[in-house]
Amino acid sequence: MTEPSTQEQTTTTNNAPANVAVDTSFENDSSYGDELSSYTASLTSSVLDYRHENGRRYHKFRDGSYLLPNDESENDRLDMAHEMCLLILHRKLYLAPIKNPQRVIDLGTGTGIWAIDFADLHPQAEVIGCDLSPIQPSLVPPNVKFLVDDIESEWAYENNPFDFIHARNLLCSIKDFEKLIKQCYRSIKPGGWVEFQDWDGYPYSQDGSHNDTGLKQYFDEVHGAFQKAGYEVRPGVKLESLFKDTGFVNVHVEKFVAPHGVWPKDPHLKEVGTWMQAQAEAGYEGIALAALTRYQKWTKEEVMILASKARADGRNRKIHAMYDFYVVYGQRPEN
Ligand SMILES: C[S@@+](CC[C@H](N)C(=O)[O-])C[C@H]1O[C@@H](n2cnc3c(N)ncnc32)[C@H](O)[C@@H]1O
């Protein structure tokens, strides 16, 4: 499963257009955007004894270390985000040039949807999905299994390393990406690949239309709270240097833009933006609640108001917000 060359090099593909054109054909029309209307893990009862707070359900294992809920509504959002990521990558699950992987792990697997799709695509591979929450389905391909574990703790995979390690959408989840990527390096076979797909969690606009909006205020407050609590909210921008500093070779970076909403003229970006809006609307409250109430002493009602302003501005086609999404992969040298 190796590339012929392990010579040190970095390639970057910038898929982000210099200017994302606005679809002005329905600037005054309000109809379009509003339509978005078998565990093999040792599951002890304590793992399932979830925390309930402000009407949401949270993981119990390593209680308090992840600030987003793990209930049905959040899991639906994760599956929407999966569809959005597939769209961004033109329906590819990964971009690394892996060949015939035998042992694969998906870090922070969430609902396990990526791991299940990967296992279907590579029936010869043994795929592990690892998460704090046992929220994955039990009816899964025979070559996938799920483990409850904390990927920020010390790993014990060095004597049984992987061919491919994958991690996606771990912004607001991980405090120490440098340590995580070093653990990946130690647990990947020589010649094996590690791929992270992640975000710069702060949206922006090319025309300034996102300034002074409820959407901007939402991310300033919420991601500000995550940052104060020690979580990385912009991992995408740091991945390349973390991979290179760790010793990975053949590091490749692909940068994409993901608009928020249906405003782009380009049909592909409009579709990505539609999914972005859908998953964001499913997530505004859940993403913000624990970060702002536990760490910033906001009330639930204050969070609801912040979320509703973000939702309203997120639907406004005159606000042309977008995010940068990065796919970074690298190879452990053969020798
Ligand atoms: C935003 S979700 C992303 C899910 C999945 N990677 C995807 O792209 O669909 C982040 C996931 O990471 C998990 N997580 C957060 N911190 C973790 C940790 N320290 N160890 C294991 N899983 C963790 C959460 O429980 C959650 O399911």
Side-chain angles (χ1 to χ4, degrees):
M1 60 152 290
T2 58
E3 274 282 274
S5 154
T6 56
Q7 119 200 33
E8 190 148 353
Q9 61 186 52
T10 304
T11 51
T12 302
T13 307
N14 191 346
N15 302 288
N19 270 306
V20 179
V22 178
D23 181 358
T24 52
S25 65
F26 49 80
E27 199 92 279
N28 299 313
D29 158 15
S30 66
S31 63
Y32 195 106
D34 296 341
E35 284 170 17
L36 292 174
S37 3
S38 81
Y39 296 104
T40 55
S42 46
L43 286 187
T44 63
S45 58
S46 65
V47 168
L48 294 164
D49 183 18
Y50 294 129
R51 180 204 281 228
H52 293 265
E53 190 178 279
N54 290 317
R56 304 300 300 253
R57 193 187 76 180
Y58 295 87
H59 70 100
K60 184 65 178 178
F61 177 69
R62 299 283 152 86
D63 183 25
S65 64
Y66 177 61
L67 302 181
L68 275 63
N70 72 356
D71 48 25
E72 207 174 315
S73 124
E74 170 65 3
N75 297 344
D76 288 346
R77 184 188 75 82
L78 294 184
D79 288 349
M80 285 189 247
H82 172 71
E83 177 59 25
M84 176 182 68
C85 292
L86 280 185
L87 264 177
I88 293 171
L89 301 190
H90 300 280
R91 307 226 67 81
K92 290 188 178 137
L93 282 173
Y94 56 87
L95 300 182
I98 53 171
K99 304 266 188 313
N100 193 26
Q102 300 297 310
R103 223 171 113 70
V104 177
I105 188 164
D106 182 33
L107 308 175
T109 196
T111 61
I113 191 165
W114 184 95
I116 292 167
D117 283 2
F118 188 95
D120 275 335
L121 202 60
H122 296 277
Q124 84 292 346
E126 172 202 5
V127 181
I128 298 172
C130 178
D131 204 281
L132 294 172
S133 285
I135 49 172
Q136 303 79 25
S138 49
L139 217 58
V140 295
N143 57 327
V144 64
K145 64 180 179 182
F146 294 109
L147 298 175
V148 174
D149 211 341
D150 177 0
I151 56 174
E152 292 217 85
S153 297
E154 295 305 316
W155 295 12
Y157 291 119
E158 280 177 45
N159 295 328
N160 195 8
F162 298 98
D163 300 293
F164 185 42
I165 299 180
H166 171 266
R168 186 182 67 183
N169 297 348
L170 295 185
L171 78 164
C172 301
S173 301
I174 299 301
K175 290 185 167 165
D176 193 344
F177 269 87
E178 184 181 343
K179 178 179 171 195
L180 183 63
I181 289 167
K182 284 188 172 147
Q183 302 230 65
C184 292
Y185 189 87
R186 289 197 291 273
S187 301
I188 194 83
K189 292 177 188 167
W193 293 89
V194 176
E195 175 167 323
F196 276 51
Q197 304 182 1
D198 231 304
W199 299 87
D200 178 345
Y202 282 105
Y204 63 95
S205 58
Q206 293 174 332
D207 58 6
S209 58
H210 167 254
N211 304 339
D212 301 322
T213 64
L215 201 58
K216 180 168 187 316
Q217 189 197 355
Y218 175 89
F219 284 102
D220 286 349
E221 295 288 359
V222 177
H223 281 172
F226 274 98
Q227 278 179 305
K228 278 189 205 139
Y231 296 90
E232 178 56 70
V233 302
R234 313 183 67 189
V237 293
K238 299 181 179 161
L239 290 173
E240 177 181 359
S241 58
L242 289 175
F243 269 60
K244 284 157 93 178
D245 293 349
T246 303
F248 285 101
V249 294
N250 296 319
V251 175
H252 183 79
V253 182
E254 296 237 7
K255 182 179 172 190
F256 300 86
V257 292
H260 185 119
V262 297
W263 60 265
K265 192 170 186 178
D266 176 84
H268 171 70
L269 292 177
K270 189 189 288 291
E271 197 179 359
V272 172
T274 305
W275 281 96
M276 173 65 83
Q277 184 178 335
Q279 70 83 30
E281 294 201 0
Y284 286 123
E285 280 129 24
I287 292 168
L289 263 169
L292 290 178
T293 59
R294 290 186 205 169
Y295 285 92
Q296 301 296 317
K297 307 291 170 221
W298 286 43
T299 63
K300 179 181 176 183
E301 291 66 34
E302 287 168 335
V303 175
M304 296 300 172
I305 292 167
L306 182 78
S308 86
K309 285 183 186 161
R311 188 178 300 109
D313 281 351
R315 289 178 181 180
N316 182 343
R317 282 187 215 97
K318 295 194 167 118
I319 297 171
H320 307 140
M322 60 178 92
Y323 306 77
D324 289 335
F325 183 63
Y326 296 80
V327 178
V328 179
Y329 58 82
Q331 189 176 29
R332 178 168 172 166
E334 293 278 8
N335 46 8

